[in-house]
Amino acid sequence: MPSFDPTRCLYACRHGESLGNIARADAEKRGLAEVVCAYRDADLPLTATGHAQAAWLGRRLAQLPPAQRPVRLICSPYRRALETADAIIRHAYANSRVAFSLDARLRPKAFGVLEGLTRRGVRERFPELAAERERVGRFHFRPPGGESRADVVQRVGDFLAQLRSRHGGEPVLLVTHQIVVNAVGHLLLDDEGDALATDDDGWVPNARLYAFGAAPVPAAQEVEAA
């Protein structure tokens, strides 16, 4: 693997466990067509477990040597990411300062007409879209009103290019979503282990920290599981 320089890197984490994660897992397990949840996707809060995971991650970051600790947090504007970032800041930077900003390009993938549906729901209500997804592959499939994985990769790529030009060389932490962590890996790694190159979901555990080295080819390193 390429060399990893922990003093010059990009960190990324998925938010802590949210009510949406619990609701979707329950709907899939019960074979429902829809995910039953009272919140809009952008407003989904963390569960008690999610808050504990985020606090743990903040304490983990606080243990890093000063040269390795992120000096800037850039966060998705979605509530579950914001709550995760808040816990990280409170536990990792209680006695110091860290720059913080939001960037909409770190939001999750938009599913359009398929929003809130389980795998069964997609097959039953939009069989033609399910067939199209199988035909073109999940990387290029774009549901009406939504995004493809390729669309997410493009916006994340734009974000990373801007990040390099503005904050090159300083450790930065992205507090974001599973698809964005996978997109960062897709853009910065070779094909080995590239989740978006397959049709699987590219599972990223909640509140797990990943680090992407700076040179010569960025390497992903899982820091520790929550």
Side-chain angles (χ1 to χ4, degrees):
M1 294 291 288
S3 60
F4 172 71
D5 179 358
T7 67
R8 292 172 55 85
C9 68
L10 172 68
Y11 294 95
C13 71
R14 184 186 183 189
H15 57 81
E17 180 188 79
S18 73
L19 289 183
N21 297 147
I22 298 299
R24 175 164 289 279
D26 179 67
E28 294 286 1
K29 181 179 180 179
R30 295 167 58 192
L32 304 179
E34 290 188 47
V35 177
V36 180
C37 189
Y39 293 87
R40 294 189 315 130
D41 187 43
D43 298 329
L44 286 164
L46 296 183
T47 63
T49 295
H51 281 288
Q53 290 171 333
W56 177 92
L57 184 52
R59 292 192 293 270
R60 175 67 182 87
L61 286 168
Q63 296 170 2
L64 292 177
Q68 297 180 27
R69 195 175 306 145
V71 299
R72 179 177 299 275
L73 269 65
I74 307 178
C75 185
S76 158
Y78 281 46
R79 178 177 175 180
R80 54 195 182 273
L82 288 167
E83 291 185 353
T84 302
D86 177 70
I88 289 172
I89 291 170
R90 285 188 288 108
H91 288 86
Y93 301 94
N95 300 311
S96 59
R97 301 184 66 179
V98 62
F100 177 81
S101 60
L102 302 179
D103 198 301
R105 291 171 292 185
L106 301 182
R107 68 188 183 276
K109 178 178 175 289
F111 286 90
V113 298
L114 304 184
E115 184 69 41
L117 297 181
T118 62
R119 293 178 177 86
R120 174 186 172 184
V122 173
R123 292 193 303 268
E124 290 181 352
R125 299 185 185 182
F126 296 98
E128 72 286 357
L129 294 181
E132 180 184 351
R133 183 170 63 182
E134 290 297 317
R135 184 173 65 255
V136 305
R138 293 181 68 180
F139 189 81
H140 295 288
F141 171 71
R142 181 189 295 121
E147 294 178 292
S148 66
R149 289 181 174 185
D151 295 327
V152 176
V153 167
Q154 181 174 3
R155 62 170 154 90
V156 173
D158 291 342
F159 167 82
L160 291 176
Q162 187 179 77
L163 184 67
R164 289 191 191 97
S165 66
R166 294 184 177 180
H167 308 294
E170 64 180 20
V172 175
L173 170 62
L174 311 182
V175 184
T176 183
H177 306 268
Q178 175 169 281
I179 186 66
V180 174
V181 177
N182 280 321
V184 172
H186 177 84
L187 289 160
L188 298 184
L189 302 178
D190 56 26
D191 289 338
E192 182 181 356
D194 181 357
L196 294 190
T198 71
D199 275 347
D200 66 25
D201 288 327
W203 176 247
V204 175
N206 294 107
R208 182 167 292 181
L209 184 67
Y210 293 86
F212 297 84
V217 177
Q221 174 174 306
E222 182 179 310
V223 177
E224 191 171 340

